[in-house]
Amino acid sequence: MYFSKLFVPTSKQDPSDAELASHKLMLKSGMIKKTAAGIYNWLPFGLKVVKKVEDIVRKNLDLSGAQEILMPMVQPAELWKESERFDQYGKELLKFQDRSDRDFVLGPTHEEVVCEIFRSYPMSYKDLPINLYQIQTKFRDEIRPRFGVMRSREFIMKDAYSFDIDPSGMEKSYEIMKQAYISIFNDIGLEYRIVKADAGNIGGDVSEEFHILADSGEDLLAISDSSEFAANVEVLEYDKDPTELDGKPSPDGKGKLSVKRGIEVGHIFQLGTKYSEKMNVKIKDAEGKEKTLFMGCYGIGVSRIVAASIEQNHDDKGIIWPYPIAPFHINIICLDPKRDEILKECKNVYEILSKAGHDVLLDDRDIRAGVKFGEHEMLGIPFSIVIGPNNFNNSKYEFSSRTEETKTELSIDEIKHILEELK
Ligand code: ATP
Ligand code: MG
């Protein structure tokens, strides 16, 4: 992509209505644009990151055997009355009527709809397990939308639903999904923890959350220093202040707890028969008897991950993207693009790297070099090459990394090699 053609409306000013670094940086780097409270547009630069997260999620879920579907966002109220969540879910559930005064809701989650799909077809126990997922826009009328896309009213979620004939099947499906989540978060390249959690509005007995660690996180996590034990403090006992737990012995008897802040980016649940019972989702077992299905449900906050990544990785100059979700891998900063022979060399390097399968940005704008360097740092692209009057006909270019001070002179093959290793 040539920068001169890209719609990236960057700004120098700090937005007045943003508190968190990620919110400020997403606005300043032209990734998102607010339309209403908690409702955002994704502009090209931001959407590129969303798509990279989605690709990683999709790849790992497909590998795990889950199958992608797409359910409607607009859902008939009858389904929510059957599950009894029409009244229980609270004000976050946006309700409205169509032209014939029939009640509908905007989907905040899809247990009801997926149950309705499932019960519509005669299936046998032999067809199970089945795990269906989608990546889709959700709506929750949050009381206090804030921090940009971190807690918005409209957001992108990956939600998945597993169906099994018995509890042991459900546990297996849950474990497969947990492993898929581990691969997803490893692939994304952020520091995260899995913690025991409260099932909240969704329900069920067993649930765990995936948290990206960041000092600005809304949740407090108690993590043992010498065992696997880790929990959201909401499931632990303490007197007044959860930070009291810091330094206390871990409940599993191994080591001490330390309290850290996290951003919830994933939540997995063993639901049991909570929805299938109320919504009459049954299947015939080996003896031909009707059995109520055991379900699991699994969410990932795709749009929240983008903001959480910035919370975990930024400096006073701007964003620092983990390589796997960076909108571009490398930026070719062209100094003096008005000189044909320099721009030609930049385009040549651009072609070579793009053809090798890397996401390359060419800053071909005819503006001050200082502005280009400043924006390059704000946008957080992992690497840059500078090509200008002093080096355009050399065989080596000035190569630098967003996270290291040092600059090195490298040939195009050496640069290709570095990018290849990171693929
Ligand atoms: P929270 O406790 O943050 O409100 P939740 O527990 O209600 O979230 P889930 O129902 O578990 O959320 O939804 C699955 C995932 O969707 C969450 O782990 C989170 O990453 C994301 N998510 C939930 N609410 C929002 C929101 N308002 N804005 C952005 N992402 C959200
Ligand atoms: Mg949750």
Side-chain angles (χ1 to χ4, degrees):
M1 184 67 73
Y2 290 6
F3 212 138
S4 60
K5 305 221 165 63
L6 198 59
F7 179 57
V8 181
T10 55
S11 86
K12 279 212 178 70
Q13 247 95 54
D14 262 347
S16 57
D17 56 347
E19 286 170 61
L20 285 196
S22 60
H23 189 193
K24 281 185 198 153
L25 285 167
M26 289 179 86
L27 291 168
K28 282 174 74 173
S29 60
M31 292 177 67
I32 54 169
K33 156 89 181 74
K34 184 168 154 181
T35 285
I39 299 180
Y40 286 85
N41 301 282
W42 285 94
L43 304 185
F45 192 73
L47 192 61
K48 271 181 144 317
V49 185
V50 169
K51 295 281 175 204
K52 293 226 167 161
V53 174
E54 287 184 2
D55 287 350
I56 292 173
V57 168
R58 215 172 243 124
K59 182 192 85 190
N60 283 291
L61 290 186
D62 291 347
L63 273 175
S64 81
Q67 299 169 63
E68 187 168 3
I69 58 171
L70 187 56
M71 291 183 266
M73 200 185 162
V74 173
Q75 311 180 1
E78 285 77 53
L79 292 178
W80 284 74
K81 288 177 183 161
E82 267 189 64
S83 72
E84 294 171 21
R85 283 206 293 184
F86 191 68
D87 296 317
Q88 282 167 10
Y89 201 90
K91 290 209 157 185
E92 273 150 43
L93 184 63
L94 185 69
K95 303 170 178 171
F96 58 97
Q97 280 90 37
D98 70 1
R99 63 167 81 201
S100 324
D101 291 329
R102 277 187 290 253
D103 289 325
F104 284 87
V105 306
L106 265 193
T109 175
H110 279 67
E111 285 79 11
E112 285 77 1
V113 175
V114 80
C115 280
E116 207 273 326
I117 296 176
F118 226 84
R119 71 183 179 192
S120 310
Y121 302 102
M123 278 192 281
S124 98
Y125 68 100
K126 287 183 192 150
D127 300 313
L128 300 182
I130 285 180
N131 190 328
L132 302 175
Y133 79 94
Q134 63 174 346
I135 298 178
Q136 193 219 29
T137 300
K138 296 280 186 272
F139 192 92
R140 295 182 181 179
D141 202 354
E142 297 272 353
I143 182 164
R144 245 163 50 88
R146 58 186 186 280
F147 310 144
V149 297
M150 190 81 89
R151 181 170 298 285
S152 48
R153 295 199 291 168
E154 199 178 293
F155 59 97
I156 306 166
M157 197 204 285
K158 184 290 297 172
D159 46 327
Y161 306 88
S162 65
F163 295 88
D164 283 276
I165 192 82
D166 53 24
S168 74
M170 172 183 71
E171 282 158 28
K172 249 191 227 153
S173 293
Y174 179 90
E175 191 50 36
I176 290 171
M177 211 54 170
K178 182 172 169 180
Q179 292 308 322
Y181 271 44
I182 290 171
S183 305
I184 289 168
F185 288 104
N186 287 344
D187 284 357
I188 289 176
L190 294 167
E191 206 193 336
Y192 69 95
R193 290 286 184 284
I194 307 169
V195 302
K196 290 188 180 32
D198 181 54
N201 227 333
I202 309 285
D205 297 328
V206 176
S207 93
E208 288 166 291
E209 289 168 349
F210 285 68
H211 282 261
I212 285 173
L213 299 181
D215 294 338
S216 58
E218 284 188 297
D219 288 25
L220 288 171
L221 319 173
I223 299 167
S224 165
D225 61 5
S226 32
S227 74
E228 289 283 285
F229 182 87
N232 192 316
V233 297
E234 70 194 10
V235 303
L236 298 176
E237 280 179 28
Y238 52 84
D239 277 344
K240 280 195 196 88
D241 180 358
T243 56
E244 287 162 20
L245 294 166
D246 202 71
K248 293 265 158 67
S250 172
D252 66 352
K254 294 179 199 146
K256 276 192 196 144
L257 293 177
S258 72
V259 174
K260 290 193 162 66
R261 288 197 166 268
I263 301 168
E264 183 194 324
V265 287
H267 199 164
I268 55 179
F269 304 78
Q270 291 180 15
L271 293 172
T273 57
K274 176 176 166 167
Y275 295 90
S276 45
E277 186 90 59
K278 288 194 174 119
M279 301 204 53
N280 209 20
V281 192
K282 294 205 165 87
I283 202 164
K284 285 206 169 68
D285 70 7
E287 280 90 50
K289 270 203 285 185
E290 293 231 304
K291 280 267 171 67
T292 302
L293 287 186
F294 283 77
M295 289 176 62
C297 78
Y298 317 88
I300 289 184
V302 171
S303 41
R304 186 181 281 181
I305 287 175
V306 179
S309 169
I310 301 175
E311 276 315 310
Q312 190 176 86
N313 302 288
H314 66 270
D315 59 17
D316 52 359
K317 295 175 192 144
I319 303 169
I320 298 170
W321 291 114
Y323 197 79
I325 60 168
F328 294 99
H329 297 131
I330 188 160
N331 184 11
I332 303 167
I333 300 176
C334 180
L335 305 180
D336 211 352
K338 266 192 168 150
R339 279 177 59 186
D340 282 347
E341 64 276 31
I342 298 179
L343 188 59
K344 196 166 160 239
E345 183 54 15
C346 290
K347 288 184 174 173
N348 180 32
V349 172
Y350 175 87
E351 288 297 320
I352 294 172
L353 294 178
S354 298
K355 281 208 179 108
H358 308 294
D359 287 328
V360 192
L361 181 63
L362 167 55
D363 195 344
D364 58 337
R365 296 173 300 169
D366 183 21
I367 56 169
R368 279 200 302 117
V371 177
K372 291 191 182 190
F373 289 121
E375 287 193 354
H376 169 75
E377 285 174 323
M378 177 166 79
L379 296 176
I381 300 166
F383 298 109
S384 67
I385 319 176
V386 179
I387 302 179
N390 299 331
N391 68 351
F392 76 96
N393 50 16
N394 295 357
S395 58
K396 296 206 167 194
Y397 306 105
E398 184 188 301
F399 176 85
S400 39
S401 145
R402 175 67 179 78
T403 50
E404 285 155 36
E405 287 296 319
T406 52
K407 292 176 179 149
T408 40
E409 296 289 321
L410 296 182
S411 72
I412 193 73
D413 280 339
E414 289 166 324
I415 293 167
K416 262 169 79 173
H417 185 74
I418 290 176
L419 301 182
E420 211 57 48
E421 296 276 283
L422 286 165
K423 242 187 185 172

